[in-house]
Amino acid sequence: MWAYHPPAGCAPPARRPPNYARLYEWFRLLLRISLASALLLYGMIKVLPTQMSFNLERLVEPFGHMSPMAVLWAQSSLSEPYEMALGAAEVVAALLLVLPLTAGLGSVLAVIVALQVLLMNLTFDVPVKLFALQLFLYATVLAAPDIIRIVRALLGRVVPARTSTPLLSTPRGNRVLLAAQVLIGVWLLCATTVEAYDGWHKYGSARPKSPLYGIWNVTEFSVAGEQVPALVDFSESPPTSGIPSVTERFRRIIFDIPQGMTMQRLDDSLVSLPARIDTEEHTITLSKDTAHQWKLATLSYVQPQSDRLILEGTLGGRPVRMQLDQVDLAQYPAVSRGFHWVQATPYYR
């Protein structure tokens, strides 16, 4: 076989090193879209308060009984403007990530937002810790070049203009690709807004309230005509079962959502059951499941006064009667304190 031999003194042509600049830009585009979609979803369910919705039972549940995550959810839901501000930061970061021109600013804002979420998930034992870490790493990779440029500028060093490699080889192709990115951003914004709006009206602060909405103290409790003393008796049904026994006297009954009822025992523990309230028949049907296929009891109710409720029916095979007095929610500073521009002294209770 004939082989090529370069002339003496002539070096072989050097191989051109591979150029991955365009592949790197495509990689950044994929990260941007992935990060923007996640931030939009979690941001919109905060802008329309759904993720951290307020529950009445938190006002009477002892602080020590709540899990760290429940504490975080309760304090965030007590201030809707705060929750909405958190969501707005996520939404703004996501929208800035859509366009290449503003992606740098969006990635830096995303680092701040994702770091806060990660810290809350880690310190309050919130699930999806690994997913939060993943989003933070996405944001860090995208923001790294801009963070370096910001640090250099703060140190007084020269920062050259940033250059990037076009994703496609023709100007027309890049214009089409830019339009596609805008359309993807609009689609993500519309889809997450619709989903968040639907959840806001089903599970969030705009959800319907129970016809008997409020916290009610049990002032009288009788079984088969005999008054049950204010003592805790779990002999027939321990509290871990989730279903109250007939010998338990409750401290409070809480009506919040239309399809549920929460009872607070004398040891301050809570048990929630699916409940269907018929305002025409004036009945409350308690069940084991939300489909109401396994009924536990049906109680009739009368409301002689706006702040008084009388329940009667059969529970555990024995007739029960309860008189309830509604609690004025204004007595809880957590919901009645309001906003004050000027305070002479801290309002700390």
Side-chain angles (χ1 to χ4, degrees):
M1 296 181 61
W2 292 93
Y4 170 76
H5 298 283
C10 181
R15 296 183 59 185
R16 178 180 297 180
N19 186 356
Y20 296 113
R22 182 166 293 172
L23 179 62
Y24 173 68
E25 293 298 331
W26 278 102
F27 170 70
R28 288 179 60 86
L29 174 61
L30 179 62
L31 285 189
R32 282 167 42 208
I33 299 301
S34 300
L35 181 59
S37 60
L39 290 178
L40 272 175
L41 175 60
Y42 282 99
M44 289 306 304
I45 60 177
K46 293 184 182 72
V47 172
L48 299 175
T50 305
Q51 183 179 17
M52 302 166 183
S53 55
F54 177 70
N55 299 315
L56 271 181
E57 63 190 47
R58 297 304 184 195
L59 295 177
V60 296
E61 184 177 11
F63 183 85
H65 287 190
M66 290 190 286
S67 67
M69 179 178 173
V71 171
L72 175 62
W73 252 237
Q75 68 93 15
S76 299
S77 63
L78 279 174
S79 176
E80 284 193 353
Y82 171 72
E83 182 178 356
M84 294 169 68
L86 294 178
E90 295 177 350
V91 170
V92 170
L95 294 179
L96 290 174
L97 283 168
V98 172
L99 296 177
L101 183 63
T102 58
L105 178 59
S107 62
V108 174
L109 179 58
V111 167
I112 300 172
V113 170
L115 178 59
Q116 183 194 25
V117 173
L118 177 61
L119 288 177
M120 289 194 299
N121 287 8
L122 292 175
T123 55
F124 285 90
D125 194 31
V126 181
V128 297
K129 299 178 180 66
L130 294 180
F131 183 60
L133 176 60
Q134 178 182 343
L135 295 182
F136 174 68
L137 292 178
Y138 282 6
T140 302
V141 170
L142 288 171
D146 294 282
I147 292 177
I148 293 174
R149 291 165 57 83
I150 292 173
V151 172
R152 289 177 61 90
L154 293 176
L155 294 176
R157 299 180 181 178
V158 177
V159 180
R162 183 179 177 183
T163 59
S164 60
T165 302
L167 293 171
L168 298 177
S169 57
T170 63
R172 181 179 180 182
N174 284 295
R175 288 195 297 269
V176 172
L177 184 59
L178 177 61
Q181 294 177 54
V182 174
L183 290 177
I184 290 176
V186 172
W187 175 77
L188 286 173
L189 178 61
C190 294
T192 54
T193 300
V194 170
E195 184 175 354
Y197 184 83
D198 183 62
W200 182 43
H201 284 82
K202 287 184 178 179
Y203 317 108
S205 58
R207 67 182 184 270
K209 294 181 179 180
S210 171
L212 303 175
Y213 182 82
I215 300 173
W216 301 79
N217 286 333
V218 179
T219 55
E220 295 181 11
F221 191 102
S222 62
V223 178
E226 296 184 4
Q227 289 288 328
V228 176
L231 299 173
V232 181
D233 183 0
F234 296 126
S235 58
E236 295 187 15
S237 177
T240 55
S241 67
I243 302 175
S245 71
V246 71
T247 56
E248 291 184 49
R249 171 167 176 163
F250 307 114
R251 182 190 298 274
R252 298 181 182 93
I253 293 181
I254 304 161
F255 296 97
D256 192 350
I257 60 176
Q259 298 295 326
M261 185 176 87
T262 300
M263 292 156 285
Q264 186 173 34
R265 299 183 175 98
L266 293 179
D267 66 346
D268 287 329
S269 62
L270 299 170
V271 55
S272 297
L273 293 173
R276 183 167 55 195
I277 301 175
D278 190 330
T279 55
E280 294 183 358
E281 298 294 331
H282 287 77
T283 59
I284 303 173
T285 303
L286 301 179
S287 307
K288 289 184 179 180
D289 61 319
T290 54
H292 301 285
Q293 295 180 351
W294 299 89
K295 296 182 180 180
L296 295 175
T298 299
L299 305 172
S300 62
Y301 71 89
V302 294
Q303 198 168 359
Q305 302 173 18
S306 60
D307 59 350
R308 176 157 295 178
L309 196 64
I310 297 176
L311 304 181
E312 290 187 275
T314 302
L315 184 63
R318 301 175 67 183
V320 297
R321 183 181 187 276
M322 288 176 277
Q323 178 176 300
L324 293 76
D325 290 342
Q326 190 172 26
V327 177
D328 183 9
L329 297 182
Q331 74 179 33
Y332 298 105
V335 294
S336 63
R337 171 60 179 165
F339 175 79
H340 299 80
W341 279 111
V342 178
Q343 297 173 236
T345 57
Y347 186 78
Y348 182 82
R349 293 182 57 182

